[in-house]
Amino acid sequence: MSYFDVASSAPLHPVARQALLAALDEGWADPARLHREGRRARLLLDAARETAADAVGCRPDELVFTSSGTRAVHLGVRGARAGRRRIGGRVVVSAVEHSSVLYAAGEDAAEVPVDRTGRVDPEVFAAALTGDTALACLQSANHEVGTEQPVAEAAELCRAAGVPLLVDAAQSLAWGPVDGDWSLLTASAHKWGGPAGVGLLAVRKGVRFAPGEPADERESGRSPGFENIPAIVAAAASLRAVRAEAAGGAARLRALVDLIRTRVPELVPDVEVVGDPVRRLPHLVTFSCLYVDGEALLHALDREGFSVSSGSSCTSGTLTPSHVLRAMGVLSEGNVRISLGAGASGDEVERFLAVLPGVVASVRERLGAPTAPAAGPAARTAGLVLDTLGKRCPIPVIELAKVIGDVPVGETVTVLSDDEAARLDIPAWCGMRGQGYAGEEKRERGSAYVVRRLI
Amino acid sequence: MSYFDVASSAPLHPVARQALLAALDEGWADPARLHREGRRARLLLDAARETAADAVGCRPDELVFTSSGTRAVHLGVRGARAGRRRIGGRVVVSAVEHSSVLYAAGEDAAEVPVDRTGRVDPEVFAAALTGDTALACLQSANHEVGTEQPVAEAAELCRAAGVPLLVDAAQSLAWGPVDGDWSLLTASAHKWGGPAGVGLLAVRKGVRFAPGEPADERESGRSPGFENIPAIVAAAASLRAVRAEAAGGAARLRALVDLIRTRVPELVPDVEVVGDPVRRLPHLVTFSCLYVDGEALLHALDREGFSVSSGSSCTSGTLTPSHVLRAMGVLSEGNVRISLGAGASGDEVERFLAVLPGVVASVRERLGAPTAPAAGPAARTAGLVLDTLGKRCPIPVIELAKVIGDVPVGETVTVLSDDEAARLDIPAWCGMRGQGYAGEEKRERGSAYVVRRLI
C-alpha cells in the first residue's frame, strides 16, 4: 500500500503520537482553573505555544490555536477584515487559494489571476490593492499543484500599500517558516503529521484585529471553545520534529517528484504535468490525462494500492473541476495529485510508474478513447455539430477527438456540452493537440464550444 | 489527590482512551476522499455518528460534530436564529445559562429570571415567547449549582408558541437523554470523559436552520473544518460507556452529594448550600462560606489535595461574581463547587469533610473575620458610614459584620463599596444574619449599600 495523499491529510507522526499520549494524562483539565490539574494543563499549553511560535517565526502572544486550518482561515479573514472595516470591505485573493480562503473572503472578493503554472505575478497582485482594501490573502504554496507563490515580494508590496497580508501556509509550514513580512498566517496540523483538531492563527502585533464571534476568554478571545491541549501539544511537538527532518526529506522527495514529472509523460501518452517545475513544494506533483475519467482512474489506482487525489470534476460533489486547474487554464480530466509522505520510497514511486500506463490505458479503452491521432480522410462534414449534452467529462473531449479527423483543415466543429469540465478541457485539448479553440457560445442548455481544425 | 471538578473537565474515560488510540491509526485520513484510507475514515465517522445520535435520541442525519461545546452552542444559536430571521431576532434565555449561550444570544437577549434554587418557572419562560422570538434556550441542568431545569415542560410550551428550543445539555448528557420535544441540543465530550475537541449539535428535522459561517462541505455544511475523527470516535464510544454506568453511578454519587449537603453546614458555621436539593445533577454541589476569600479557599484546598472550582469574584478574570449566583440572589463569597467523577469514593468525601472546617477557619482568621455574632453594646454611632472603597470581596462583608453590633437596633449602617461582589453578598449576608437590607444607591465611585439592624 502506498499512500500518496499527504496533502489531504498525513498519518500521525510518531512524535505526535507520543506527545498526544503523554498529554492525554497531563493535559485534560481546564487551563483556566486554579487547581493543580488546571495549572498543569496551562503549562503544557504555554509550552506548546512557545514551540509552535518558534516554528512559525512569531511571538507566542501573536499565536492562537484554533480547531482546524479552516477555522484559522475563517477567524483570521473575518478578524482582519473587521479590524479595518473603516477602510473598506474589499479582500484581495489569488484565484488559486484554498476554498476556505475563497469562501471566507466572499463572493465579492477581488481574484488575482495566475499564470499557467499557477503562480501569481506580485506586481499584478499589488495593483489590486486599492484604497478600500481591508485584507490581501496569498497562500505560501498551492495545495493542488505545489506551485510556490512569491509571498515575500507580495508582503513587501502589501506593506507599501498599507494592507495586511494573510498567508495560508497549510501546505508549506512543515518545510520551513514563511519568508517575508506577512501580517497574518494560518496553518493546519494534520497536514504535517500532527493530529486533526488543531489549526494555527498568527496575528502580528500591530495588525488591527476584531474577533467576529461571540465573546470567549480562551485563546486571547480569538478562538472560542475549550482548548484541545493534548492535540495542541502533539501538533507543536510534531511540527518541531518534521522541521528537524525537513532539509533531508525535501531533497529526497524533490528527486522522486522530479522522476515522476519526467517519466509520466514518457510512459503515458497525452498527459499534461502541471504546476511550476522548480518553484514548488518538494513532495507534490499533479498531472492530467486526456480521455480519462478521474474517478475511474482513482479507483483503478486504489485497487493497485495507490491512494491519490484528483481535481477532476467527477471526483467532486459539485461536478465542477477544481478552481485551481480552471484558474491555470490547464486540462482537468484524468487529473491526479500525488503528494508523498516522508516515508515514501523510490521503490513505491517505481512501482507507481510501472502501474500507471496500464491503468490509464485500461480506463481509456473502457471509455472508447481514440488510441492514435485521427487520420484525416476526405471530410464528410463541414460545420459539424457534435451533441454531447448530458455526457460528463471526459466523454465530450473523447467525442471531439474522434471526429476531428472528419473536419476539413481550416473548418470548425461545434461541441454542445452542459458539462462544466468542457469549458476547461476543450480549450486544453486544443492546446495539447495543436488545434484552434475559437470560443464558447452560451446556449439555452449548456454551451457551444467551437474548435477549428488546424493540423 | 481528589479531583472534584469534573464539571469543568473530566479526565479521559478508559474507553475513550482505547477508542482514541485505535482511531489514531484508522481515522486520520480525509473522509471526503475516495481512496481506502478516506473510506475507512468515513466509516468510522458514520459509525460514531450513529452511536452518538442513539445516545442523544435523534437521527444520525440530525447530528453534527463540532470542535467544542462552545462551538456547538455558537453554531446552533446563530443557525437557528438566522433560519427564522423573518420572524424576528429575539432570543429568550434563562438567566443562568452557560456563558457561551449568553454571549451567542447577545446583549439584547431576553433573560428569564430563576428562583433562589436556580430554577426557571416554565410559565414565566413561556410568557417571554413573544411573536418576534426566533429561539429560546434552556439548559438541561445548571453547570454551577446542579439544578435541573424543567426542559420537557418548556419544550412543550415552546412548541405551542412555535418557537424552537435549544437545550444546552453539556452537564447532563452523561446521565441520560434530554426529555421532551426539544428542537436543538448541544453538548461537549470532555464533560463526560470524552476527549477535548468534540462538541455535539443536534438539529431536529423541520427546524429552520441557516448556517452562518463561510461555506464548507463538512458536517452537512453546519460545522466547518476538517473532522477530528479519532476524537469523535472516542467521544461516541465513551458516551455509550458512561451511559451504561450512569444508573449505578448516579445513585452512589447522589448519596455522597447528600452527605456533603447535610454535613457542610453542620461542620462549618455561616455556610449557605445552594441549588435545588432534589431536582439536581447527581454529582454536583455548591456552597458559599461567609467571610471567606474564594481564591484563598481554593488554594488552601488545593494544598490539602482537593481540586474544586468557584464562582467567587476573586477567582474570575473580570472580578465579578458568577452570573448564576447573582441570578439566584445567593451569597458568592467563599464559593466552592464540587463535582464528583465516577471514581470519587466515600473516603475522599469524608476526608474533604474532615479538612474543610479547618481550612475555612484558617482563611477567616487570616482575614480577621468575626468569630461570633457581634454583641450589641451601647451604640456609638447612629447613621454609621463604613468606607470599604478599594477593598475586595469578602472584606466589605467582614467589615460590616464587625460594626453591626455598634448600630442601634432599628438604625442603619451604610457600606460604601466599589466591589462588584458586594451587590450580591451584602443582601445575602443580611438574609443569613436576619438583618434588613434597605437598598443600594449609586455613588460617583461604587455604591452605598444600606443595612438596617433588626436584631
Side-chain angles (χ1 to χ4, degrees):
Chain A
M1 292 307 313
S2 295
Y3 181 75
F4 286 174
D5 193 23
V6 297
S8 289
S9 189
L12 203 62
H13 191 284
V15 166
R17 191 187 174 86
Q18 204 173 6
L20 183 65
L21 289 186
L24 286 176
D25 295 329
E26 298 285 318
W28 51 267
D30 184 344
R33 295 292 174 196
L34 303 175
H35 46 59
R36 70 189 64 197
E37 291 84 357
R39 295 195 304 270
R40 206 161 58 193
R42 164 66 55 190
L43 285 177
L44 286 175
L45 180 59
D46 291 346
R49 199 184 312 279
E50 296 256 351
T51 302
D54 185 55
V56 167
C58 67
R59 290 166 31 174
D61 62 352
E62 293 173 331
L63 184 73
V64 299
F65 295 106
T66 68
S67 61
S68 67
T70 293
R71 281 286 288 162
V73 165
H74 289 181
L75 292 166
V77 170
R78 194 168 2 163
R81 175 143 62 171
R84 284 166 55 86
R85 71 174 79 79
R86 283 185 201 164
I87 281 105
R90 181 179 160 99
V91 179
V92 171
V93 296
S94 89
V96 296
E97 294 299 304
H98 188 267
S99 59
S100 63
V101 175
L102 296 181
Y103 281 125
E107 281 179 9
D108 53 351
E111 284 197 8
V112 176
V114 295
D115 65 18
R116 222 182 141 73
T117 72
R119 192 173 161 96
V120 152
D121 180 333
E123 297 299 335
V124 177
F125 196 77
L129 304 172
T130 51
D132 61 344
T133 301
L135 177 68
C137 303
L138 183 61
Q139 61 194 189
S140 54
N142 185 267
H143 51 296
E144 287 191 35
V145 301
T147 299
E148 287 174 348
Q149 302 295 349
V151 166
E153 296 95 305
E156 203 179 319
L157 294 164
C158 283
R159 283 279 163 194
V163 174
L165 177 69
L166 182 148
V167 177
D168 167 19
Q171 290 297 336
S172 78
L173 201 66
W175 303 109
V178 173
D179 283 344
D181 192 14
W182 47 264
S183 297
L184 300 100
L185 182 144
T186 60
S188 172
H190 74 102
K191 306 284 190 189
W192 72 63
V198 183
L200 305 182
L201 169 61
V203 182
R204 292 269 192 221
K205 286 287 153 201
V207 173
R208 283 190 200 155
F209 194 89
E213 309 240 326
D216 186 284
E217 78 282 8
R218 311 224 175 237
E219 292 299 289
S220 316
R222 290 181 175 171
S223 178
F226 189 76
E227 296 95 341
N228 187 350
I229 293 177
I232 286 169
V233 168
S238 55
L239 179 56
R240 181 159 55 185
V242 298
R243 276 293 181 77
E245 300 155 1
R252 207 177 62 79
L253 295 182
R254 186 170 284 277
L256 292 179
V257 163
D258 277 336
L259 189 69
I260 297 171
R261 293 188 71 96
T262 312
R263 298 283 290 141
V264 165
E266 295 168 3
L267 294 167
V268 182
D270 299 324
V271 159
E272 183 175 17
V273 180
V274 298
D276 195 299
V278 178
R279 293 176 295 191
R280 61 169 174 83
L281 291 169
H283 66 303
L284 195 152
V285 52
T286 297
F287 55 84
S288 299
C289 308
L290 259 187
Y291 316 138
V292 167
D293 165 359
E295 189 174 355
L297 186 55
L298 251 57
H299 284 308
L301 286 170
D302 184 55
R303 278 191 299 273
E304 294 287 343
F306 295 98
S307 298
V308 302
S309 71
S310 170
S312 294
S313 56
C314 50
T315 65
S316 87
T318 55
L319 293 179
T320 53
S322 137
H323 70 274
V324 173
L325 303 177
R326 212 160 52 211
M328 294 163 65
V330 297
L331 188 70
S332 81
E333 67 188 37
N335 180 259
V336 170
R337 178 185 70 179
I338 289 171
S339 48
L340 304 175
S345 71
D347 284 355
E348 283 179 287
V349 168
E350 289 295 351
R351 204 173 74 78
F352 176 78
L353 293 171
V355 158
L356 183 69
V359 165
V360 172
S362 93
V363 174
R364 282 177 175 163
E365 194 186 335
R366 218 167 39 240
L367 290 170
T371 48
R380 281 193 298 265
T381 358
L384 180 71
V385 174
L386 192 63
D387 181 354
T388 69
L389 290 168
K391 292 181 179 161
R392 294 275 158 232
C393 157
I395 302 301
V397 174
I398 289 177
E399 300 286 320
L400 169 62
K402 280 181 175 165
V403 303
I404 193 73
D406 296 346
V407 178
V409 171
E411 292 295 321
T412 64
V413 50
T414 299
V415 186
L416 306 180
S417 171
D418 52 3
D419 180 30
E420 273 299 311
R423 182 166 298 123
L424 186 54
D425 288 346
I426 288 176
W429 177 88
C430 292
M432 290 171 81
R433 278 283 169 271
Q435 306 296 354
Y437 178 62
E440 172 187 355
E441 217 175 82
K442 287 272 177 195
R443 290 291 166 88
E444 202 176 323
R445 180 176 171 197
S447 284
Y449 300 92
V450 183
V451 173
R452 189 174 305 278
R453 184 174 172 189
L454 299 182
I455 55 170
Chain B
M1 292 307 311
S2 295
Y3 181 75
F4 287 174
D5 194 22
V6 298
S8 289
S9 189
L12 204 61
H13 192 283
V15 166
R17 192 186 174 88
Q18 204 173 5
L20 182 65
L21 289 185
L24 285 176
D25 296 328
E26 299 285 318
W28 51 267
D30 184 344
R33 294 293 174 196
L34 302 175
H35 46 59
R36 72 189 63 197
E37 291 85 357
R39 295 194 305 269
R40 206 162 58 193
R42 164 66 55 191
L43 285 176
L44 286 176
L45 180 59
D46 290 346
R49 198 184 313 278
E50 296 254 354
T51 301
D54 186 54
V56 167
C58 68
R59 289 166 33 174
D61 61 354
E62 293 173 331
L63 184 74
V64 299
F65 295 107
T66 68
S67 61
S68 68
T70 293
R71 281 286 289 161
V73 165
H74 289 181
L75 292 166
V77 170
R78 192 167 5 163
R81 175 144 61 171
R84 284 167 53 87
R85 71 174 78 78
R86 282 185 202 164
I87 282 103
R90 182 179 160 97
V91 178
V92 171
V93 296
S94 89
V96 295
E97 294 299 305
H98 188 266
S99 59
S100 63
V101 175
L102 296 181
Y103 282 125
E107 282 180 8
D108 52 351
E111 284 197 8
V112 176
V114 294
D115 65 19
R116 222 181 140 73
T117 71
R119 191 173 162 97
V120 151
D121 179 333
E123 297 298 334
V124 177
F125 196 78
L129 306 172
T130 50
D132 61 345
T133 301
L135 176 68
C137 303
L138 183 61
Q139 61 194 189
S140 54
N142 185 267
H143 50 297
E144 288 192 35
V145 300
T147 299
E148 288 174 348
Q149 301 295 349
V151 166
E153 295 95 306
E156 203 179 319
L157 294 164
C158 283
R159 284 278 164 194
V163 174
L165 177 69
L166 182 149
V167 177
D168 167 18
Q171 290 296 337
S172 78
L173 201 65
W175 302 109
V178 173
D179 284 344
D181 192 14
W182 47 264
S183 296
L184 300 100
L185 182 144
T186 60
S188 171
H190 74 103
K191 304 285 190 189
W192 71 64
V198 183
L200 305 182
L201 170 61
V203 183
R204 292 270 192 218
K205 287 287 153 202
V207 173
R208 281 189 203 156
F209 194 89
E213 310 239 326
D216 186 284
E217 78 282 7
R218 312 226 174 235
E219 292 299 289
S220 316
R222 290 182 175 171
S223 178
F226 189 77
E227 296 94 340
N228 187 349
I229 294 179
I232 286 170
V233 167
S238 56
L239 180 55
R240 183 158 53 185
V242 298
R243 278 293 182 77
E245 301 154 1
R252 205 177 63 80
L253 296 182
R254 186 170 282 277
L256 292 178
V257 164
D258 278 335
L259 188 68
I260 297 171
R261 293 187 71 96
T262 310
R263 297 284 289 141
V264 165
E266 294 168 2
L267 293 166
V268 182
D270 299 325
V271 159
E272 182 175 15
V273 180
V274 298
D276 195 300
V278 179
R279 291 176 297 192
R280 61 168 175 83
L281 291 168
H283 66 302
L284 196 152
V285 53
T286 296
F287 55 85
S288 299
C289 308
L290 258 187
Y291 316 136
V292 167
D293 166 358
E295 190 174 356
L297 185 55
L298 251 57
H299 285 307
L301 285 170
D302 184 55
R303 279 191 298 275
E304 294 287 344
F306 295 98
S307 298
V308 302
S309 71
S310 170
S312 293
S313 57
C314 49
T315 66
S316 87
T318 55
L319 293 180
T320 54
S322 138
H323 70 274
V324 172
L325 302 178
R326 212 160 53 212
M328 293 164 65
V330 296
L331 188 70
S332 82
E333 67 189 35
N335 180 259
V336 170
R337 179 185 70 179
I338 289 171
S339 48
L340 304 174
S345 71
D347 283 355
E348 282 177 287
V349 169
E350 288 295 350
R351 203 174 74 79
F352 177 78
L353 293 172
V355 158
L356 182 69
V359 164
V360 172
S362 95
V363 173
R364 282 177 176 163
E365 194 186 337
R366 219 167 36 241
L367 290 170
T371 49
R380 282 193 299 264
T381 358
L384 179 71
V385 174
L386 193 62
D387 181 353
T388 70
L389 291 166
K391 294 182 178 159
R392 296 273 158 233
C393 157
I395 302 301
V397 173
I398 289 177
E399 299 287 321
L400 168 61
K402 281 182 176 166
V403 303
I404 192 73
D406 296 346
V407 178
V409 172
E411 292 296 319
T412 63
V413 51
T414 299
V415 185
L416 306 179
S417 171
D418 52 3
D419 180 30
E420 274 299 312
R423 183 167 297 125
L424 186 52
D425 288 347
I426 289 176
W429 177 88
C430 292
M432 289 172 82
R433 278 284 169 266
Q435 304 297 356
Y437 179 63
E440 172 186 355
E441 218 174 81
K442 287 269 176 199
R443 291 289 166 89
E444 202 176 323
R445 180 176 172 199
S447 284
Y449 301 91
V450 183
V451 173
R452 189 175 304 279
R453 183 173 172 192
L454 298 181
I455 55 171

